[in-house]
PDB file of all heavy atoms in Angstrom:
ATOM      1  N   VAL A  49      92.472 125.054  94.230  1.00 83.00           N
ATOM      2  CA  VAL A  49      92.157 123.866  93.441  1.00 83.00           C
ATOM      3  C   VAL A  49      92.816 122.697  94.162  1.00 83.00           C
ATOM      4  O   VAL A  49      94.032 122.525  94.098  1.00 83.00           O
ATOM      5  CB  VAL A  49      92.677 123.976  91.992  1.00 83.00           C
ATOM      6  CG1 VAL A  49      92.432 122.684  91.238  1.00 83.00           C
ATOM      7  CG2 VAL A  49      92.039 125.154  91.291  1.00 83.00           C
ATOM      8  N   VAL A  50      92.022 121.943  94.911  1.00 92.00           N
ATOM      9  CA  VAL A  50      92.547 120.819  95.678  1.00 92.00           C
ATOM     10  C   VAL A  50      92.049 119.531  95.040  1.00 92.00           C
ATOM     11  O   VAL A  50      90.862 119.212  95.119  1.00 92.00           O
ATOM     12  CB  VAL A  50      92.109 120.890  97.158  1.00 92.00           C
ATOM     13  CG1 VAL A  50      92.683 119.711  97.938  1.00 92.00           C
ATOM     14  CG2 VAL A  50      92.537 122.209  97.790  1.00 92.00           C
ATOM     15  N   LEU A  51      92.936 118.829  94.386  1.00 95.00           N
ATOM     16  CA  LEU A  51      92.605 117.544  93.797  1.00 95.00           C
ATOM     17  C   LEU A  51      92.713 116.505  94.904  1.00 95.00           C
ATOM     18  O   LEU A  51      93.776 116.326  95.497  1.00 95.00           O
ATOM     19  CB  LEU A  51      93.558 117.213  92.658  1.00 95.00           C
ATOM     20  CG  LEU A  51      93.436 115.816  92.063  1.00 95.00           C
ATOM     21  CD1 LEU A  51      92.036 115.588  91.491  1.00 95.00           C
ATOM     22  CD2 LEU A  51      94.500 115.599  91.016  1.00 95.00           C
ATOM     23  N   THR A  52      91.611 115.849  95.200  1.00 96.00           N
ATOM     24  CA  THR A  52      91.591 114.798  96.216  1.00 96.00           C
ATOM     25  C   THR A  52      91.321 113.466  95.538  1.00 96.00           C
ATOM     26  O   THR A  52      90.365 113.344  94.771  1.00 96.00           O
ATOM     27  CB  THR A  52      90.510 115.087  97.275  1.00 96.00           C
ATOM     28  OG1 THR A  52      90.770 116.370  97.859  1.00 96.00           O
ATOM     29  CG2 THR A  52      90.521 114.033  98.366  1.00 96.00           C
ATOM     30  N   ILE A  53      92.191 112.505  95.818  1.00 97.00           N
ATOM     31  CA  ILE A  53      92.049 111.171  95.244  1.00 97.00           C
ATOM     32  C   ILE A  53      92.059 110.147  96.375  1.00 97.00           C
ATOM     33  O   ILE A  53      92.385 110.471  97.523  1.00 97.00           O
ATOM     34  CB  ILE A  53      93.158 110.871  94.213  1.00 97.00           C
ATOM     35  CG1 ILE A  53      94.539 110.958  94.843  1.00 97.00           C
ATOM     36  CG2 ILE A  53      93.049 111.811  93.024  1.00 97.00           C
ATOM     37  CD1 ILE A  53      95.681 110.573  93.918  1.00 97.00           C
ATOM     38  N   GLY A  54      91.734 108.908  96.020  1.00 96.00           N
ATOM     39  CA  GLY A  54      91.722 107.835  97.006  1.00 96.00           C
ATOM     40  C   GLY A  54      92.985 107.002  96.951  1.00 96.00           C
ATOM     41  O   GLY A  54      93.759 107.082  95.993  1.00 96.00           O
ATOM     42  N   PRO A  55      93.176 106.157  97.948  1.00 96.00           N
ATOM     43  CA  PRO A  55      94.388 105.337  98.026  1.00 96.00           C
ATOM     44  C   PRO A  55      94.449 104.222  96.989  1.00 96.00           C
ATOM     45  O   PRO A  55      95.513 103.661  96.746  1.00 96.00           O
ATOM     46  CB  PRO A  55      94.340 104.766  99.440  1.00 96.00           C
ATOM     47  CG  PRO A  55      92.888 104.761  99.791  1.00 96.00           C
ATOM     48  CD  PRO A  55      92.297 105.954  99.099  1.00 96.00           C
ATOM     49  N   THR A  56      93.317 103.912  96.356  1.00 97.00           N
ATOM     50  CA  THR A  56      93.321 102.813  95.384  1.00 97.00           C
ATOM     51  C   THR A  56      93.397 103.287  93.937  1.00 97.00           C
ATOM     52  O   THR A  56      93.404 102.460  93.025  1.00 97.00           O
ATOM     53  CB  THR A  56      92.079 101.911  95.568  1.00 97.00           C
ATOM     54  OG1 THR A  56      90.902 102.701  95.378  1.00 97.00           O
ATOM     55  CG2 THR A  56      92.073 101.274  96.954  1.00 97.00           C
ATOM     56  N   HIS A  57      93.465 104.584  93.721  1.00 98.00           N
ATOM     57  CA  HIS A  57      93.701 105.062  92.360  1.00 98.00           C
ATOM     58  C   HIS A  57      95.051 104.522  91.888  1.00 98.00           C
ATOM     59  O   HIS A  57      95.987 104.394  92.679  1.00 98.00           O
ATOM     60  CB  HIS A  57      93.760 106.596  92.316  1.00 98.00           C
ATOM     61  CG  HIS A  57      92.433 107.259  92.271  1.00 98.00           C
ATOM     62  ND1 HIS A  57      91.690 107.510  93.398  1.00 98.00           N
ATOM     63  CD2 HIS A  57      91.726 107.751  91.232  1.00 98.00           C
ATOM     64  CE1 HIS A  57      90.576 108.126  93.053  1.00 98.00           C
ATOM     65  NE2 HIS A  57      90.567 108.282  91.740  1.00 98.00           N
ATOM     66  N   THR A  58      95.159 104.245  90.597  1.00 98.00           N
ATOM     67  CA  THR A  58      96.466 103.875  90.062  1.00 98.00           C
ATOM     68  C   THR A  58      97.287 105.142  89.880  1.00 98.00           C
ATOM     69  O   THR A  58      96.742 106.258  89.832  1.00 98.00           O
ATOM     70  CB  THR A  58      96.338 103.154  88.698  1.00 98.00           C
ATOM     71  OG1 THR A  58      95.837 104.085  87.731  1.00 98.00           O
ATOM     72  CG2 THR A  58      95.455 101.920  88.792  1.00 98.00           C
ATOM     73  N   LEU A  59      98.585 104.966  89.744  1.00 98.00           N
ATOM     74  CA  LEU A  59      99.433 106.131  89.501  1.00 98.00           C
ATOM     75  C   LEU A  59      99.096 106.781  88.167  1.00 98.00           C
ATOM     76  O   LEU A  59      99.165 107.999  88.033  1.00 98.00           O
ATOM     77  CB  LEU A  59     100.910 105.763  89.566  1.00 98.00           C
ATOM     78  CG  LEU A  59     101.445 105.395  90.949  1.00 98.00           C
ATOM     79  CD1 LEU A  59     102.953 105.165  90.884  1.00 98.00           C
ATOM     80  CD2 LEU A  59     101.106 106.442  91.994  1.00 98.00           C
ATOM     81  N   ARG A  60      98.706 105.978  87.174  1.00 98.00           N
ATOM     82  CA  ARG A  60      98.326 106.564  85.885  1.00 98.00           C
ATOM     83  C   ARG A  60      97.074 107.423  86.045  1.00 98.00           C
ATOM     84  O   ARG A  60      96.993 108.517  85.502  1.00 98.00           O
ATOM     85  CB  ARG A  60      98.106 105.505  84.814  1.00 98.00           C
ATOM     86  CG  ARG A  60      97.804 106.161  83.450  1.00 98.00           C
ATOM     87  CD  ARG A  60      97.666 105.173  82.315  1.00 98.00           C
ATOM     88  NE  ARG A  60      98.764 104.253  82.185  1.00 98.00           N
ATOM     89  CZ  ARG A  60      99.926 104.520  81.578  1.00 98.00           C
ATOM     90  NH1 ARG A  60     100.139 105.715  81.056  1.00 98.00           N
ATOM     91  NH2 ARG A  60     100.860 103.598  81.490  1.00 98.00           N
ATOM     92  N   GLN A  61      96.085 106.936  86.785  1.00 98.00           N
ATOM     93  CA  GLN A  61      94.873 107.720  87.028  1.00 98.00           C
ATOM     94  C   GLN A  61      95.222 109.017  87.757  1.00 98.00           C
ATOM     95  O   GLN A  61      94.722 110.090  87.407  1.00 98.00           O
ATOM     96  CB  GLN A  61      93.856 106.923  87.849  1.00 98.00           C
ATOM     97  CG  GLN A  61      93.231 105.771  87.103  1.00 98.00           C
ATOM     98  CD  GLN A  61      92.422 104.865  88.020  1.00 98.00           C
ATOM     99  OE1 GLN A  61      92.780 104.637  89.175  1.00 98.00           O
ATOM    100  NE2 GLN A  61      91.315 104.345  87.491  1.00 98.00           N
ATOM    101  N   ALA A  62      96.069 108.916  88.766  1.00 98.00           N
ATOM    102  CA  ALA A  62      96.472 110.108  89.517  1.00 98.00           C
ATOM    103  C   ALA A  62      97.186 111.093  88.599  1.00 98.00           C
ATOM    104  O   ALA A  62      96.907 112.303  88.629  1.00 98.00           O
ATOM    105  CB  ALA A  62      97.369 109.722  90.692  1.00 98.00           C
ATOM    106  N   ALA A  63      98.107 110.593  87.773  1.00 98.00           N
ATOM    107  CA  ALA A  63      98.848 111.468  86.855  1.00 98.00           C
ATOM    108  C   ALA A  63      97.906 112.147  85.876  1.00 98.00           C
ATOM    109  O   ALA A  63      98.058 113.344  85.588  1.00 98.00           O
ATOM    110  CB  ALA A  63      99.913 110.675  86.112  1.00 98.00           C
ATOM    111  N   ALA A  64      96.934 111.402  85.359  1.00 98.00           N
ATOM    112  CA  ALA A  64      95.981 111.980  84.400  1.00 98.00           C
ATOM    113  C   ALA A  64      95.150 113.076  85.062  1.00 98.00           C
ATOM    114  O   ALA A  64      94.925 114.140  84.465  1.00 98.00           O
ATOM    115  CB  ALA A  64      95.072 110.893  83.831  1.00 98.00           C
ATOM    116  N   LEU A  65      94.701 112.844  86.285  1.00 97.00           N
ATOM    117  CA  LEU A  65      93.914 113.856  86.997  1.00 97.00           C
ATOM    118  C   LEU A  65      94.761 115.089  87.316  1.00 97.00           C
ATOM    119  O   LEU A  65      94.300 116.222  87.170  1.00 97.00           O
ATOM    120  CB  LEU A  65      93.327 113.262  88.282  1.00 97.00           C
ATOM    121  CG  LEU A  65      92.233 112.220  88.081  1.00 97.00           C
ATOM    122  CD1 LEU A  65      91.954 111.473  89.391  1.00 97.00           C
ATOM    123  CD2 LEU A  65      90.965 112.865  87.554  1.00 97.00           C
TER     124      LEU A  65
END
Side-chain angles (χ1 to χ4, degrees):
V49 175
V50 181
L51 173 60
T52 302
I53 59 176
T56 60
H57 278 84
T58 67
L59 291 185
R60 184 176 308 278
Q61 290 170 324
L65 291 167

